[in-house]
Amino acid sequence: MPENPTESKSPQLGDAPAKTTNKAFLKLILLILFVDLIGFAMVMPLLPLYAESTGLSAWQIGILQSAYPFCQLFAAPVLGRLSDRFGRKPVLVASQIGTTLSFIILALAQRFELMLLARMLDGASGGNILVAQAYIADVTSPQERSKSLGLMGMVFGLGFIFGPALGGLLAGLTPADATIRLPFAAAAIFSMCAWVIVLKKLPESRKPGEHGGEARVVGRAGLRAVLGDGRISLMVFAAAFLTLGWSNFEGGISLFLKHRMQFTTSQASLVFAFSGIVGAFAQGFLIRKMITKFGERKMIMMGMGTLAIGFLGLTQVYSVWALFPALILAGLGQGMATPSLSGLISRSSSPSIQGAVFGTLNSAQTGSRMINYTLANLLREHYGDAAPFFSGAIILAVGLLVARAGIRRLDSNKT
């Protein structure tokens, strides 16, 4: 920002020494992400409960959950390329407006069609995370980029702790005979706050047409890089299977807790927050200790295996005392496997194609969520509340085999 706070011109990255300016802008984009993620994480565990309370069927709930990643799959690459061409700030402003409107519609909607419109609008605006990643890459040096993106991961973890906890508290304030709406209205306020900060405070990090620091979007280069390298393709498929398995938890835990455990909406959200604490502990502390001892390869196998055991444990849960050990295993497993897989894929890819490869990876993970949110709800309806976790354990077992094959291929190609 300008060193003189009364200066009237719009702030630009060149207005202050690079080191100081970059740190200030990094803190600002992380604050924006945190505020935005609180709103998103408030809605995520409550959406299936909210939809069921309005009388929607299992397939309709699944479609609602899948609508976000479906639209994000197509919109994120477009928003990413637009931000490369026209700058990060205008794309962030537009996407925040879309997210705010989507939460307002959800808070007022009573029909499936309007809820679906809201989720599609939010998904189409969901490229803001990808653009924020590109913004961080713009304002940090290559040497500091991994550390800065690690801070972004920490912000995600905090958002998925405070968001569900706040959503649960607000849901508890809702009268027993009323449909849950207050958390969705609060999410709109948080999203609007993030939009105001972007509009008023965040400087542009990229001149239109400038090269370098492109947003990580899927494209022909990324697909060729992934499919043309058997080592990378297997690890990307393993990451997709991991996301496919974990999405059973994301999309199914709230209704599982309501039906199997007779938890209230508020209690279910607080359980989601507890899972966020476990995941943040795994990614922020445990993995740092374990990865130096075991390495990424073993951490991937241990993490996916632990997550599968946690899922099998959830299928046998009928009491609170049995619930929390299963949640801890699942949270630790996901927290160990996800960053280890991303790190191994990054170190195995050429620096020149990192953005393309990770754009393909992000799209594969988004597609996995889109498929399984609907599938998990249909399984729950036809085979019982534990069915999504049985399915998740099987998917993770297949993912383990794929990861093992990919690791062997990586090791056989060492020179």
Side-chain angles (χ1 to χ4, degrees), residues 102-347:
S102 74
F103 289 151
I104 293 173
I105 294 171
L106 267 181
L108 299 175
Q110 296 183 5
R111 295 173 52 192
F112 169 70
E113 293 81 3
L114 285 177
M115 291 183 184
L116 182 60
L117 173 64
R119 296 308 294 154
M120 293 179 70
L121 178 59
D122 196 13
S125 307
N128 51 355
I129 302 298
L130 182 146
V131 176
Q133 286 179 321
Y135 189 100
I136 291 173
D138 291 340
V139 301
T140 55
S141 65
Q143 295 79 12
E144 294 290 320
R145 197 159 297 156
S146 294
K147 180 180 176 181
S148 299
L149 291 173
L151 290 174
M152 183 176 177
M154 181 189 72
V155 167
F156 264 83
L158 292 173
F160 276 86
I161 294 171
F162 288 102
L166 182 57
L169 293 174
L170 291 174
L173 299 176
T174 303
D177 59 345
T179 305
I180 312 161
R181 297 189 186 277
L182 184 58
F184 295 88
I189 293 172
F190 274 100
S191 183
M192 188 178 297
C193 289
W195 170 73
V196 171
I197 297 172
V198 172
L199 187 65
K200 298 293 186 180
K201 297 293 185 181
L202 190 72
E204 179 56 64
S205 66
R206 180 183 179 83
K207 296 177 181 178
E210 183 182 14
H211 295 287
E214 282 77 10
R216 291 172 166 178
V217 298
V218 66
R220 288 190 296 271
L223 290 173
R224 284 197 300 267
V226 170
L227 298 177
D229 189 327
R231 305 169 309 147
I232 299 175
S233 63
L234 282 173
M235 298 315 297
V236 169
F237 281 127
F241 275 110
L242 173 60
T243 304
L244 193 66
W246 178 247
S247 61
N248 285 279
F249 183 91
E250 292 176 331
I253 189 64
S254 297
L255 290 173
F256 173 83
L257 292 170
K258 177 184 176 182
H259 297 157
R260 174 74 72 87
M261 308 293 294
Q262 288 75 54
F263 275 25
T264 65
T265 300
S266 182
Q267 288 171 329
S269 289
L270 293 176
V271 168
F272 210 97
F274 173 79
S275 299
I277 293 172
V278 175
F281 170 77
Q283 295 193 51
F285 175 77
L286 187 63
I287 196 169
R288 294 183 183 182
K289 302 290 184 181
M290 295 183 68
I291 206 162
T292 55
K293 182 177 181 179
F294 297 107
E296 290 166 331
R297 290 161 170 79
K298 288 185 178 179
M299 288 293 289
I300 292 168
M301 305 301 289
M302 290 166 57
M304 294 180 75
T306 302
L307 178 54
I309 293 170
F311 276 4
L312 291 175
L314 282 170
T315 65
Q316 303 304 310
V317 164
Y318 291 92
S319 69
V320 174
W321 297 109
L323 173 65
F324 283 96
L327 288 174
I328 289 171
L329 286 174
L332 290 177
Q334 193 269 343
M336 290 189 294
T338 299
S340 300
L341 257 172
S342 297
L344 187 59
I345 291 171
S346 178
R347 292 199 303 107

